Amino acid sequence: MLSRNESRIGLDPGEDLEDLQRCGLKIIQARDTFRFGIDSVLLAHFAPLRKGDRVLDLGTGNGVLPLLLAGIGEPGAIHGLEIQPRLVDMAQRSVALNGLEDLITIMEGDLCFPPPQLMAGGYDLVISNPPYLPAGGKVNSREELAIARHEILCTLTDVLRTGAQMLRNRGRMALIHRPGRLIDLLTTMRAEGLEPKTLRFVHPTPRRKPTMVMVVGVKGARPHVDVLPPLAIYQEGGGYSKEVLSFYQG
């Protein structure tokens, strides 16, 4: 049986309602466009969220990171910025579906030119799961997927520059990316005034090489980086690792 909110919000054709396995939260996803992956779950648990933080998610997609952070911790407010109108609509409906309108605000806009509602220096934590791939080469034929995966509308530099602009001094920015872009990520963070402070590689299994890397930078901090133990998504024998399983059972 649908809840009152689910009946009121409704789903468009081709959309599904999925359980985030966290505090009863649910999210609207479309079958033919961006769908969040485990990288969003990993980033949400890696991000150094503190009670009362003002949080900004750059390129929020369908709003999965704000929803997960709302279930993980006690942020003071979360703003999600997304350039694609269809994803903005889904994210806003997911927020309403979960009754989180007082906590999460999803807005449409270009992170390269942030809307005036986003106050520079007004955030404690900025998060982003940016496009991993350069704009050149083969891209997905579906425009929405191409924008989500390739640096078509924004580059890594754009994301980090805007993140630094929006953070207060000593504010934190957390990202997830590909290991092959790690040098680009770290050097650009430092160039934009975000000192890399925490780094963690993500491996499919303990014996395989990493396929993702997560980094936290602190605005205006002194140089020094802590490299955390690697995170394996799956056990060698199959099934999620104990740590990743705890993300879904917490």
Side-chain angles (χ1 to χ4, degrees):
M1 178 179 293
L2 295 178
S3 69
R4 181 179 299 180
N5 266 1
E6 290 171 1
S7 299
R8 177 173 59 87
I9 299 300
L11 297 176
D12 290 341
E15 291 182 345
D16 299 309
L17 190 61
E18 298 191 18
D19 188 349
L20 285 174
Q21 301 182 52
R22 169 68 61 169
C23 300
L25 295 171
K26 298 180 180 179
I27 188 169
I28 297 169
Q29 298 221 87
R31 297 166 209 154
D32 63 344
T33 188
F34 169 83
R35 299 174 70 87
F36 78 90
I38 196 168
D39 50 354
S40 295
V41 177
L42 300 179
L43 179 59
H45 284 84
F46 175 74
L49 176 66
R50 299 172 185 169
K51 184 176 180 179
D53 273 352
R54 287 180 54 82
V55 182
L56 172 62
D57 179 19
L58 295 175
T60 196
N62 62 0
V64 61
L65 281 169
L67 291 172
L68 287 171
L69 290 180
I72 290 170
E74 299 180 64
I78 306 176
H79 293 161
L81 181 65
E82 173 56 46
I83 197 169
Q84 299 192 64
R86 184 182 178 195
L87 295 178
V88 170
D89 174 66
M90 281 193 289
Q92 290 174 338
R93 284 186 287 131
S94 289
V95 170
L97 176 73
N98 290 285
L100 293 172
E101 299 99 319
D102 292 338
L103 176 64
I104 301 174
T105 301
I106 305 292
M107 59 189 74
E108 183 179 340
D110 185 346
L111 66 82
C112 299
F113 305 97
Q117 301 97 304
L118 301 182
M119 185 174 66
Y123 294 90
D124 304 291
L125 174 65
V126 173
I127 56 174
S128 184
N129 185 355
Y132 293 157
L133 304 172
K138 185 177 180 180
V139 299
N140 197 289
S141 59
R142 292 184 180 274
E143 182 181 23
E144 292 171 331
L145 292 175
I147 290 171
R149 296 171 181 171
H150 296 261
E151 294 180 333
I152 295 173
L153 298 183
C154 69
T155 65
L156 180 58
T157 299
D158 295 327
V159 173
L160 292 169
R161 180 169 296 154
T162 297
Q165 176 188 350
M166 292 297 154
L167 282 174
R168 63 169 176 80
N169 192 44
R170 303 292 175 170
R172 294 143 276 133
M173 184 168 187
L175 302 95
I176 188 166
H177 219 289
R178 295 277 180 87
R181 300 290 303 279
L182 180 59
I183 301 304
D184 293 338
L185 177 56
L186 297 182
T187 56
T188 307
M189 288 180 80
R190 178 170 282 180
E192 297 299 334
L194 296 167
E195 187 62 32
K197 300 298 288 184
T198 310
L199 185 150
R200 192 176 194 189
F201 289 100
V202 180
H203 301 244
T205 66
R207 296 180 183 177
R208 294 179 62 186
K209 68 179 184 180
T211 53
M212 291 178 278
V213 62
M214 300 184 290
V215 182
V216 171
V218 177
K219 184 175 179 178
R222 294 181 178 180
H224 178 79
V225 62
D226 289 322
V227 180
L228 302 182
L231 170 61
I233 299 174
Y234 299 101
Q235 304 177 68
E236 290 293 350
Y240 283 135
S241 66
K242 290 183 179 179
E243 184 172 2
V244 170
L245 195 59
S246 72
F247 297 163
Y248 292 100
Q249 296 177 338

